[in-house]
Amino acid sequence: MNIVLFGPPGSGKGTQAKMLAEKYRIPHISTGDILRDNLKRKTKLGLEAKSYMDKGELVPDDVLIGITKDRLSQSDCASGFLLDGYPRTLPQADALSKILNAMGKKLDVVLNIDVPDDELIKRLAGRRMCVCGASYQIVFNPPKQERICDLCGNTLYHRDDDKEEAIMNRLDVYKHQTQPLINYYTKEGMMLLTVNGAAGISEVFDEICRLLDNLKIGDS
Ligand code: AP5
Ligand code: MG
């Protein structure tokens, strides 16, 4: 299955993608995670991306297109992938279809997770992350022990772009640069399915699995 998980910041793309990747045995490709990993390792790419990410701006298209092209060419993507946070602009969507075409592949479905703005703001302001990749929400999905990761015991941190000013900018960027992709994919005749992402984490997961299972897509 070749899937794009689409939705505004805080809609639950990362949360759902981790569970879907495990269930359907396909790699979860989060461009945000790739950039944050580069930032942690202080690579040239990470240091370049930091100023955009901290403000909630998009990192330039050519950088993201290169990252995605490299990642999709790796062998674990041979029987499917789950893209989270890419594409986010029209040039990125065009580039994706060219990359896949050149590999003799195509997208099977774009899953759009829909959540109202007030809920997104609450979720992001209360999100806490761990260096191991786990993500929590202080109200809806808290760790067992305050500020400590259930999985590895490290201290949780607040993402720099989860501060109020950056959250508002990310929502604005989403509306102007990313949301238009819904029309783009509709016009392209792509299978685009919208899920109510305001429900609880397991309800959203069950709904996505129901939709995917109904599509009966084989390995591609
Ligand atoms: P990225 O890391 O992709 O951030 P984002 O799209 O802004 O999305 P988030 O990761 O904030 O939210 P999410 O939808 O994954 O929600 P989550 O599951 O964590 O990108 C970061 C930055 O990198 C960008 O701003 C940009 O600078 C750069 N970048 C990345 N890709 C790029 C690209 N293609 N082009 C250019 N620049 C790019 O959930 C959020 C919280 O809610 C969590 O605390 C979670 O526990 C909780 N939660 C989840 N689901 C539910 C639920 N159903 N009910 C209650 N709480 C829930
Ligand atoms: Mg995410």
Side-chain angles (χ1 to χ4, degrees):
M1 273 193 273
N2 300 335
I3 305 171
V4 163
L5 210 50
F6 189 84
S11 55
K13 301 183 296 295
T15 303
Q16 296 298 329
K18 280 195 186 77
M19 298 189 289
L20 292 166
E22 198 173 318
K23 176 172 162 104
Y24 293 98
R25 295 168 190 274
I26 48 177
H28 167 205
I29 303 174
S30 158
T31 45
D33 287 349
I34 293 173
L35 292 170
R36 278 184 291 278
D37 176 59
N38 274 275
L39 193 52
K40 199 167 75 188
R41 292 185 289 114
K42 297 193 168 52
T43 67
K44 187 167 169 272
L45 168 66
L47 296 173
E48 265 172 37
K50 181 175 168 44
S51 59
Y52 297 98
M53 295 173 79
D54 284 353
K55 283 184 271 175
E57 306 278 338
L58 294 183
V59 177
D61 283 336
D62 55 340
V63 176
L64 267 296
I65 291 168
I67 290 175
T68 308
K69 188 174 178 190
D70 283 353
R71 184 62 189 88
L72 288 174
S73 68
Q74 290 173 22
S75 58
D76 62 338
C77 296
S79 54
F81 55 80
L82 183 53
L83 276 172
D84 155 12
Y86 184 100
R88 272 166 132 111
T89 63
L90 292 168
Q92 289 184 21
D94 273 335
L96 177 61
S97 90
K98 287 188 186 121
I99 292 166
L100 292 177
N101 239 331
M103 298 168 82
K105 296 181 180 194
K106 60 174 184 51
L107 281 182
D108 293 308
V109 61
V110 175
L111 284 167
N112 174 31
I113 309 184
D114 187 38
V115 178
D117 281 3
D118 54 344
E119 172 75 13
L120 297 172
I121 295 166
K122 262 191 272 172
R123 284 186 188 178
L124 292 175
R127 173 165 57 185
R128 296 295 180 271
M129 303 289 296
C130 179
V131 283
C132 77
S135 160
Y136 300 87
Q137 213 287 342
I138 54 177
V139 179
F140 308 115
N141 181 28
K144 293 194 182 83
Q145 200 184 333
E146 207 182 330
R147 292 198 295 273
I148 302 294
C149 179
D150 294 349
L151 303 181
C152 71
N154 269 307
T155 304
L156 303 179
Y157 69 94
H158 197 191
R159 259 170 60 172
D160 282 336
D161 61 349
D162 281 346
K163 310 280 160 66
E164 193 181 336
E165 199 184 338
I167 292 175
M168 300 317 283
N169 198 28
R170 284 159 69 201
L171 290 176
D172 198 52
V173 165
Y174 174 78
K175 288 207 169 72
H176 289 99
Q177 299 190 57
T178 306
Q179 207 168 28
L181 291 180
I182 294 180
N183 269 340
Y184 167 92
Y185 279 125
T186 307
K187 281 193 196 138
E188 294 274 300
M190 174 63 60
M191 171 82 67
L192 188 140
L193 301 173
T194 297
V195 180
N196 172 19
I201 292 174
S202 55
E203 280 101 322
V204 178
F205 180 64
D206 290 347
E207 175 63 1
I208 294 177
C209 293
R210 192 184 64 76
L211 292 171
L212 291 179
D213 292 343
N214 278 345
L215 293 177
K216 297 195 172 48
I217 303 163
D219 288 353
S220 45

